[in-house]
Amino acid sequence: MTHAELQALRLKSTSLRKALLGMIYRAKTGHTGGSLSSVDILTVLYYHVLRIDPKHPKDPNRDRFIMSKGHSVEALYVILADKGFFPLEELKTFSKFDSRLIGHPSVKVPGVELNTGALGHGLSCSVGMALAAQRDRSAVRVFCLMGDGEQAEGSVWEAAMAASNFKLDNLTAIIDRNRLQISGNTETVMKLDSLQEKWEAFGWDVHTVDGHDFSALTEAFGAPQVLGKPRMIIAETLKGKGVSYMQDNAKWHHGVPDDQQYHLALEELESYMQEVRGHE
Amino acid sequence: MSNTIPNRKAFTDTLVDLATKDPSIFVVTSDARGSVTLEKFADTLPGQFVEVGIAEQNEIGIAAGLASFGKRVFACAPACFLSTRSLEQVKVDVVYSQNPVRIIGISGGISYGALGYSHQSLHDFAVMRTFADLAVLCPADRFQTEAITRWLAEHDVAAYVRMGRGPVPDVYANVQESFTFGKANRLSEGSDATIIANGETVHHALEAAKILGTQGIGVRVLDMPTIKPIDRDAILSAAVETGLIITVEEHSIFGGMGSAVAEIVSQEHPVPIRIIGIPDEIPIGGSSAELFDHYGLTGDAIASEVMTLIKKFKR
Ligand SMILES: [Mg+2]
């Protein structure tokens, strides 16, 4: 990955942050913190990793991305619109009456592969998809993003066991490890550490990386797949990343910025973009 | 009466036949290959067979993922687990995400009577029929089971099918006459009352009709294999033409086929209805046959209930 490519990803994810904050601000609802923590991961996936074509959203040979942490849907919608899966204009209808852009991913939206919202479902469905691809001897790859709080769901571990049992080396799961969930610190709500050891014990090839470092993320996604092993990328992130007053603060799990807060956030993101451009 | 083939066996025999010709047919199961009688499928079609271990939530999630790749998936396990443990996966991964999985709940109702309430499924029709666009079915005999299996293999619909454990007497003479999706079958004619049954209660309903016939009472018997979408026309004709309806099912008296019938009759052509099923209690232990007898689901008991109701409402 060249310096220019890295800069482009940084600028892209920052403009996506602005767009998703705008959606949440206008709709007066949304899951702000988790969308901001996962948007860098999604940026790398959608602008660097996934083999998808917005013109052919149902192409059977497309890679599949499953947003198991469905509440971070704003980050997904702004990307799908930006990629051209549906008109950018439509983002304004988010959470409005009869809009297809509801508060969790819906298959009515082009580019969305699975309805999520109930946690602990996405990985099982991803295992089914990866298994279908494996049995078909197809080159389709499956990617699934989970939250860290979601790791308390028992079904996650049923799926973890199955992926390893079926030797699904066409499957990559990612955990948005922001260490916060709606009630507070993940380790006080229900201790998760060590996720690295847990997933390794379940037979996965585990990479723990800085989830806001584009080189580290692209390296982890690009690492040669270990034959017969599903891959786990534990992306260490900050909830609310990019907006300093939201960062690492559980209250922004589904906090909605007021006028002043929104403009403050935009200013901060804009000045970050200037800074990135200054390094070009 | 000499039939020795349980419905679940008729299902798996049919499925092996179909899947041999159609490589898109997949079976997913959760350590239930013995209970479902899937040994032959697993042995002859390993590439179309998926064992997930004792993990029913994962079973339905995986089934949904496979279905999204165009596989015609039959997810098979005891009805008690699929309709309870996996319920959120049925709701979200199958129904909501529009992945047409055929959910096959075997040894349903009180088939596992002596194993206790954990192994019974007396709530499955009730919960499954509230999910939009999920078909709910319950075959009466081995021929109808085969017909339903063939229909499901040809139609990409999400469905829940409940079948029992032991063999049941043949109701039909062949596969062809036994099933039309969404339609009731009229098995006997009479104008004094209508008995609507499904699954293993159908042959008991026919027995009841025979007993009543000897006493000069003519009852219509409807087999209602499709609980959803239910045959509204057959129900309304029964209400209009016979004026009294008795439903019989191996299910809680709340929310099942009887409730579905009552929803239509009470709103469109009210006539007296009696819902026969398992009352609001934790069932006592015993074999399936003993429990049918205890809870009044057999021919004698149904006939005597019909007599009482005719005296009360029609004489
Ligand atoms: Mg979290």
Side-chain angles (χ1 to χ4, degrees):
Chain A
M1 167 139 294
T2 65
H3 177 71
E5 284 172 320
L6 279 176
Q7 294 291 79
L9 288 178
R10 282 191 192 108
L11 289 172
K12 177 58 78 181
S13 77
T14 311
S15 68
L16 292 167
R17 281 191 166 85
K18 287 163 70 179
L20 76 87
L21 282 173
M23 274 174 69
I24 293 169
Y25 168 71
R26 278 190 297 273
K28 302 260 173 285
T29 178
H31 286 84
T32 316
S35 289
L36 290 172
S37 69
S38 52
V39 73
D40 292 338
I41 300 162
L42 292 174
T43 301
V44 170
L45 275 166
Y46 275 89
Y47 298 86
H48 187 70
V49 176
L50 291 174
R51 295 189 289 240
I52 47 166
D53 177 3
K55 301 259 175 318
H56 301 99
K58 292 285 175 195
D59 178 355
N61 296 317
R62 70 194 184 277
D63 285 341
R64 305 300 202 276
F65 172 70
I66 302 302
M67 187 80 167
S68 191
K69 52 169 309 200
H71 54 284
S72 299
V73 72
E74 296 88 354
L76 181 63
Y77 285 162
V78 292
I79 287 175
L80 292 177
D82 184 61
K83 298 287 288 184
F85 280 95
F86 60 87
L88 273 166
E89 268 299 288
E90 199 177 333
L91 290 176
K92 290 185 185 147
T93 71
F94 173 61
S95 284
K96 295 280 191 316
F97 176 74
D98 207 27
S99 169
R100 58 182 174 172
L101 302 184
I102 52 176
H104 291 98
S106 159
V107 290
K108 287 183 183 164
V109 180
V112 173
E113 304 284 1
L114 186 78
N115 289 357
T116 50
L119 293 168
H121 288 234
L123 193 61
S124 289
C125 296
S126 301
V127 167
M129 293 176 185
L131 189 61
Q134 183 196 62
R135 298 260 171 117
D136 288 346
R137 295 187 170 75
S138 112
V140 171
R141 302 169 302 166
V142 183
F143 299 83
C144 174
L145 176 65
M146 293 180 282
D148 53 359
E150 182 176 5
Q151 302 303 300
E153 290 281 7
S155 53
V156 168
W157 302 97
E158 294 183 4
M161 215 185 302
S164 163
N165 175 76
F166 296 128
K167 303 184 169 42
L168 297 177
D169 51 18
N170 54 357
L171 173 65
T172 299
I174 310 105
I175 296 173
D176 179 4
R177 183 68 169 120
N178 57 30
R179 295 192 166 265
L180 287 177
Q181 59 192 99
I182 197 164
S183 305
N185 186 303
T186 55
E187 302 312 287
T188 52
V189 176
M190 177 51 66
K191 186 167 115 57
L192 300 175
D193 274 338
S194 153
L195 284 177
Q196 165 104 21
E197 286 172 17
K198 287 188 173 82
W199 284 91
E200 276 172 354
F202 275 74
W204 288 56
D205 172 35
V206 185
H207 302 246
T208 298
V209 300
D210 177 343
H212 301 301
D213 178 338
F214 291 99
S215 323
L217 283 169
T218 51
E219 208 170 292
F221 281 110
Q225 193 95 32
V226 177
L227 198 67
K229 275 196 176 194
R231 175 179 5 222
M232 165 55 74
I233 298 174
I234 299 174
E236 295 184 322
T237 57
L238 278 174
K239 204 155 183 164
K241 167 77 178 178
V243 181
S244 40
Y245 66 84
M246 294 181 179
Q247 232 161 254
D248 207 22
N249 185 342
K251 119 180 154 93
W252 284 98
H253 176 86
H254 52 14
V256 174
D258 62 22
D259 288 0
Q260 199 195 342
Q261 288 168 324
Y262 176 55
H263 292 292
L264 205 62
L266 289 188
E267 270 170 38
E268 184 175 351
L269 292 166
E270 187 51 47
S271 72
Y272 176 69
M273 287 176 88
Q274 301 292 351
E275 194 185 310
V276 173
R277 288 197 190 100
H279 287 291
E280 271 172 1
Chain B
M1 190 61 211
S2 58
N3 171 46
T4 56
I5 300 168
N7 291 349
R8 63 200 161 106
K9 185 74 168 53
F11 159 69
T12 50
D13 286 347
T14 307
L15 206 58
V16 168
D17 178 39
L18 294 167
T20 305
K21 296 165 207 151
D22 179 357
S24 75
I25 292 179
F26 268 59
V27 159
V28 185
T29 192
S30 44
D31 197 25
R33 76 182 79 185
S35 332
V36 185
T37 66
L38 284 165
E39 295 91 344
K40 192 175 169 203
F41 193 108
D43 290 345
T44 56
L45 300 162
Q48 291 158 254
F49 183 77
V50 179
E51 170 65 77
V52 304
I54 306 168
E56 293 82 7
Q57 299 178 71
N58 200 33
E59 175 178 9
I60 298 299
I62 287 177
L66 287 163
S68 78
F69 269 61
K71 306 301 179 197
R72 299 187 147 161
V73 187
F74 290 77
C76 313
C80 53
F81 307 132
L82 286 181
S83 63
T84 314
R85 187 63 155 265
S86 323
L87 197 60
E88 192 177 74
Q89 280 74 14
V90 173
K91 176 187 168 208
V92 178
D93 307 350
V94 175
V95 172
Y96 186 34
S97 294
Q98 299 167 22
N99 289 310
V101 176
R102 293 77 165 164
I103 301 149
I104 311 295
I106 55 98
S107 302
I110 45 176
S111 296
Y112 280 136
L115 296 186
Y117 194 49
S118 62
H119 279 60
Q120 297 164 1
S121 51
L122 296 166
H123 60 283
D124 50 350
F125 298 161
V127 295
M128 294 294 183
R129 77 185 184 90
T130 63
F131 292 147
D133 296 330
L134 181 72
V136 181
L137 299 139
C138 183
D141 75 355
R142 58 182 166 138
F143 295 115
Q144 197 175 63
T145 303
E146 177 174 341
I148 288 174
T149 309
R150 290 187 181 278
W151 189 88
L152 287 173
E154 285 162 14
H155 296 83
D156 282 324
V157 297
Y160 172 76
V161 188
R162 183 233 270 190
M163 50 190 79
R165 182 168 171 75
V168 280
D170 292 341
V171 171
Y172 297 95
N174 57 58
V175 175
Q176 289 70 30
E177 68 171 31
S178 68
F179 179 71
T180 305
F181 181 73
K183 292 286 168 217
N185 291 326
R186 203 182 282 193
L187 301 179
S188 104
E189 204 35 89
S191 57
D192 293 322
T194 298
I195 305 174
I196 307 180
N198 64 11
E200 298 189 16
T201 62
V202 175
H203 74 91
H204 292 292
L206 285 170
E207 179 65 23
K210 204 187 287 174
I211 295 166
L212 290 163
T214 62
Q215 296 167 46
I217 293 164
V219 297
R220 178 180 299 182
V221 174
L222 294 179
D223 171 19
M224 195 66 78
T226 315
I227 298 150
K228 188 182 179 182
I230 204 159
D231 188 345
R232 183 178 161 277
D233 292 345
I235 293 167
L236 286 177
S237 300
V240 171
E241 291 159 21
T242 71
L244 172 63
I245 294 176
I246 296 91
T247 66
V248 193
E249 63 195 310
E250 188 181 348
H251 189 276
S252 162
I253 52 168
F254 301 141
M257 183 267 288
S259 297
V261 169
E263 284 158 16
I264 288 169
V265 172
S266 64
Q267 297 181 81
E268 300 193 39
H269 189 90
V271 299
I273 293 188
R274 172 91 168 95
I275 295 170
I276 298 176
I278 306 299
D280 187 27
E281 66 178 51
I282 308 293
I284 61 166
S287 71
S288 173
E290 287 164 341
L291 295 186
F292 264 63
D293 190 44
H294 177 77
Y295 289 111
L297 302 177
T298 54
D300 281 346
I302 298 165
S304 107
E305 190 66 28
V306 172
M307 286 285 267
T308 307
L309 292 165
I310 285 176
K311 275 182 201 143
K312 182 172 174 190
F313 291 111
K314 299 194 87 176
R315 296 276 156 90

